[in-house]
Amino acid sequence: MVRRDLTPSEGPVSLTNENTQFDTTWEMVVGDDLNYPGFAFVVLFIYKNLDSLKDNTSHQSQQLMSSAATVSVSNSNTTNLPQLINLTFNHLQSSDVDPTCVYWSSENGPGVWSGRGCTSVMSNSTHTVCSCSHLSTFALLKGIHQKKGSGQLSLVMWGGVLWH
Ligand SMILES: *[C@@H]1O[C@H](CO)[C@@H](O)[C@H](O)[C@H]1NC(C)=O
Ligand SMILES: *[C@@H]1O[C@H](CO)[C@@H](O)[C@H](O)[C@H]1NC(C)=O
Ligand SMILES: *[C@@H]1O[C@H](CO)[C@@H](O)[C@H](O)[C@H]1NC(C)=O
């Protein structure tokens, strides 16, 4: 979605496709008013069939419970957002397992699913709402394990670079 206007838009903005909904505000999309170029955009990409790429040797207990979604906005300063963004994921299959909200982190090496900066604020058997403080590629994982002491999540590594 693109908005052209002399002054930056304000208020809520929502993008939806069949599996995922992205909720944020135009204030977050625009960022610093001083850099406003006269338009702003919000993007929601969905990856539907990532589960078929999964390496059979990786932890069988960890699986995607949703499509993966990449969200992007015209504001380029999005590593630590002043407002949380919300992603509502429909579960691929109805499940009572509590999913973990994760994002694809490729800062160190080929990439891992990480839960940092992302929490589940609502979950039932058919969908889960994730609130996150940055933009990235997000999904729901089930069967994720907390490593004792490290505060880090144990992660699926799919090898290869899927994004970026
Ligand atoms: C995201 O969800 C939180 C918690 O439910 C809510 O307080 C916030 O207003 C929501 N943000 C947007 C942009 O909808
Ligand atoms: C993983 O295993 C399934 C069935 O066991 C097989 O159909 C699929 O081709 C395998 N995928 C890879 C990447 O080896
Ligand atoms: C990026 O955003 C943060 C939080 O809103 C702000 O504190 C920081 O100054 C911004 N950085 C730049 C380079 O604009």
Side-chain angles (χ1 to χ4, degrees):
M1 184 188 291
V2 182
R3 274 243 183 126
R4 279 178 68 112
D5 214 338
L6 289 179
T7 55
S9 301
E10 293 175 356
V13 53
S14 184
L15 292 186
T16 312
N17 81 357
E18 60 196 276
N19 293 316
T20 312
Q21 181 172 324
F22 173 37
D23 285 290
T24 182
T25 61
W26 283 108
E27 286 85 341
M28 211 290 298
V29 171
V30 170
D32 188 350
D33 278 8
L34 293 175
N35 298 328
Y36 179 65
F39 68 92
F41 62 81
V42 200
V43 181
L44 170 66
F45 293 106
I46 299 299
Y47 306 84
K48 283 190 174 172
N49 300 312
L50 288 182
D51 240 13
S52 62
L53 296 175
K54 200 171 56 175
D55 176 1
N56 282 352
T57 62
S58 72
H59 304 272
Q60 294 297 316
S61 61
Q62 298 174 328
Q63 286 174 25
L64 283 184
M65 281 182 67
S66 70
S67 302
T70 295
V71 292
S72 183
V73 298
S74 40
N75 176 7
S76 60
N77 180 13
T78 57
T79 47
N80 197 1
L81 301 175
Q83 279 178 311
L84 297 177
I85 58 117
N86 293 329
L87 278 161
T88 305
F89 288 104
N90 290 348
H91 298 170
L92 295 175
Q93 279 159 359
S94 159
S95 163
D96 290 328
V97 177
D98 234 5
T100 304
C101 297
V102 291
Y103 78 100
W104 187 255
S105 164
S106 51
E107 287 150 26
N108 307 303
V112 291
W113 289 112
S114 166
R116 189 164 49 83
C118 223
T119 54
S120 158
V121 291
M122 202 291 299
S123 189
N124 65 21
S125 62
T126 57
H127 66 283
T128 297
V129 182
C130 300
S131 259
C132 306
S133 60
H134 56 92
L135 299 182
S136 177
T137 296
F138 300 97
L140 298 176
L141 278 188
K142 69 176 167 191
I144 201 159
H145 306 296
Q146 197 92 32
K147 270 189 205 158
K148 276 185 195 143
S150 71
Q152 287 245 314
L153 296 165
S154 163
L155 302 158
V156 182
M157 262 221 243
W158 285 353
V161 178
L162 296 177
W163 300 280
H164 310 301

